[in-house]
Amino acid sequence: MKTSNYNIRIDPVIKTKAEKTFAAFGLNLSEAINVFLHKAIMEHGFPFDVREPKPNVELRMAMEETEQILKEYTEGMRKPKPFTNAHDMIQEILSEEDEV
């Protein structure tokens, strides 16, 4: 079978991780890319969903809480607490967690 070469740029960390992943299937990176291309042709597009990841419930709750806190600061309902050092700030955060 005749082949064609194609050069692509890949982040070295991603390349190494991908090579290890595909090696578990007995494939090198070139073979894995060919599998992807064959599957894309069969599917007439990407062989998987391509979309922005949807945050899970815990992340959505944290995002909503952050938005609420920012709103309270913006509207003057909360005032920033001054800390002289990081240790004092961490102690304050830990004491708030104990109250919950």
Side-chain angles (χ1 to χ4, degrees), residues 24-71:
F25 294 97
L27 300 171
N28 64 35
L29 192 55
S30 180
E31 292 165 331
I33 290 170
N34 274 299
V35 169
F36 167 80
L37 294 174
H38 282 279
K39 184 69 173 167
I41 291 166
M42 288 175 13
E43 299 285 331
H44 299 284
F46 282 96
F48 47 79
D49 287 339
V50 178
R51 57 185 161 166
E52 189 173 343
K54 182 178 174 185
N56 62 26
V57 173
E58 184 179 2
L59 178 56
R60 280 198 308 272
M61 289 174 57
M63 291 166 67
E64 289 170 9
E65 181 182 4
T66 300
E67 288 174 11
Q68 180 62 35
I69 290 169
L70 289 172
K71 180 181 176 188

Side-chain angles (χ1 to χ4, degrees), residues 73 78-93 96:
Y73 277 112
R78 276 190 194 226
K79 300 286 184 207
K81 295 181 183 178
F83 296 102
T84 56
N85 57 54
H87 180 268
D88 291 347
M89 181 183 71
I90 292 169
Q91 291 305 316
E92 174 73 18
I93 292 169
E96 288 176 2

